[in-house]
Every structure is written in structure tokens, then in C-alpha cells.
Amino acid sequence: MFACIDIAKENKKFQYKLIRKGATAGLFGDSIAWLVFAGVVLSCDKITRAEIPLAAFKDVSAFKLYMSDVGLLSSFTGILWENIVKNQLSDLYKGALAENYAAQTLKSSGYELYYWTSDSPAAEVDFLIQKEGKILPIEVKSGKNVSAKSLKHFQKMYEPTKVIRLSEKNFGTDGNVFAVPLYAVFCI
């Protein structure tokens, strides 16, 4: 089943039709639920509104799946450690690995995973978690280019008190944006 999932696509929302033409949740929903329950994949649910509680605003028709382990993902996709160390991956795959790593680490820290999108303008925030009674948006960047139009759009709409940006950059702040290095996701 995972052979149908391309981590490098821009639209990472799970699509049943990629498994088989005409496939639906009724046909494969139980299989996906089993993979989530077994800990093979992590589910990240789309929310329609960034308000407490996030679970109340879950869009049951849209979700993303992440592998539960970046090592398994790398093995499954044929990425060797040498490719990573020698910086031989495309930016798209680096981003996909970074996002999967963040999902894996946030989930292992006990957070439920959500993401947010808007239609106009097209924007997406990689993760939203609830922490200490507040919503914390998290944007993942695989490199040092940390431009995040989607995050700025989210900030204008919802005015969060704190925003996390994960990247290769070191710890720092810029207003209410807290820069956290990718290696330190566990600190969130």
C-alpha cells in the first residue's frame, strides 16, 4: 500500500484513489486504522478551525499519514544515510523527511497531530498541537530558508501567542516566532 504514497508530492493529503482507482474510505479505512493502531503509521488530521479543542474541529475527510519512524521511511524509499550526510537529496525529499521526523517526535512526546489549511490564499501549517491550554502552530523547514507565508497568514487569522518554526537554524526568537533547531523538536 505504501508504494502508492509519494512523500515528495506537494499535496500530502492522503488519497484513496492512489491505492486503487475508485477506492474509498469504506474499502480501505479499516486497513489504515489498523496501520495506525499497530504503530506503523501516524495520522495527522486536518482541522477546519484553529480553536480549542482542536479535536472538535477535525475534518474526517482529510488527513495525512506519516511513517512512525524516519529510519523505516528512509529504508522504504531507498534513501541511504550517505545520501543524507552528503546532502544528495532533493529539497522536496529533505522537507518530507524533516516533516516526518517532526511528526514522529511530536507524537512520541504525547501530542495529537493536526494540520491546518486555508483555501484563499492557499496556505498550510504543518502541525498544530495543544499545549498548556493553547494552540501551538508548528512550521517545519528542512533548510535555512525559513520564509513561511502560510504561517504568517495563520498568524493574521488566529493571532497565536506563540509560534514554533523548526529548521536548521539555531534557537532564537523573532517577535512571537520561536526558532527551534530540527534536532530539538523533543524540547517542545
Side-chain angles (χ1 to χ4, degrees):
M1 177 164 85
F2 292 112
C4 302
I5 300 171
D6 182 0
I7 66 170
K9 359 179 255 180
E10 283 296 324
N11 177 10
K12 294 181 180 77
K13 183 180 126 181
F14 186 84
Q15 298 175 24
Y16 291 100
K17 68 182 179 184
L18 295 179
I19 298 172
R20 184 169 71 203
K21 186 177 179 178
T24 63
L27 203 56
F28 290 104
D30 288 343
S31 298
I32 291 170
W34 183 88
L35 290 169
V36 171
F37 181 75
V40 176
V41 297
L42 306 172
S43 180
C44 182
D45 296 309
K46 178 182 175 183
I47 58 154
T48 56
R49 295 169 63 171
E51 298 176 15
I52 297 287
L54 288 172
F57 299 102
K58 194 163 54 168
D59 178 351
V60 295
S61 69
F63 59 93
K64 294 191 229 176
L65 292 178
Y66 295 97
M67 292 292 291
S68 62
D69 182 86
V70 174
L72 290 174
L73 173 63
S74 297
S75 177
F76 183 77
T77 56
I79 297 171
L80 302 174
W81 66 268
E82 293 98 342
N83 300 131
I84 297 168
V85 172
K86 293 177 182 177
N87 201 20
Q88 297 171 329
L89 297 177
S90 73
D91 289 341
L92 213 49
Y93 264 83
K94 279 189 235 176
L97 284 175
E99 198 172 317
N100 202 106
Y101 169 72
Q104 168 190 332
T105 306
L106 290 168
K107 188 67 176 178
S108 68
S109 295
Y111 295 108
E112 291 301 316
L113 302 177
Y114 300 98
Y115 74 100
W116 171 86
T117 64
S118 76
D119 294 329
S120 181
E124 180 178 313
V125 174
D126 296 320
F127 299 104
L128 293 168
I129 60 172
Q130 283 184 215
K131 182 174 178 153
E132 298 168 355
K134 296 187 182 196
I135 295 172
L136 184 61
I138 301 171
E139 187 69 19
V140 181
K141 298 293 184 184
S142 61
K144 293 189 178 185
N145 178 2
V146 294
S147 168
K149 292 177 187 173
S150 294
L151 197 54
K152 289 176 184 169
H153 179 65
F154 181 88
Q155 286 178 286
K156 285 180 186 173
M157 286 185 70
Y158 293 102
E159 300 177 357
T161 56
K162 185 189 284 187
V163 173
I164 301 288
R165 185 185 58 229
L166 301 171
S167 71
E168 287 184 3
K169 289 189 167 192
N170 206 350
F171 289 98
T173 59
D174 181 12
N176 71 337
V177 178
F178 290 77
V180 176
L182 275 166
Y183 70 81
V185 177
F186 70 93
C187 295
I188 298 173

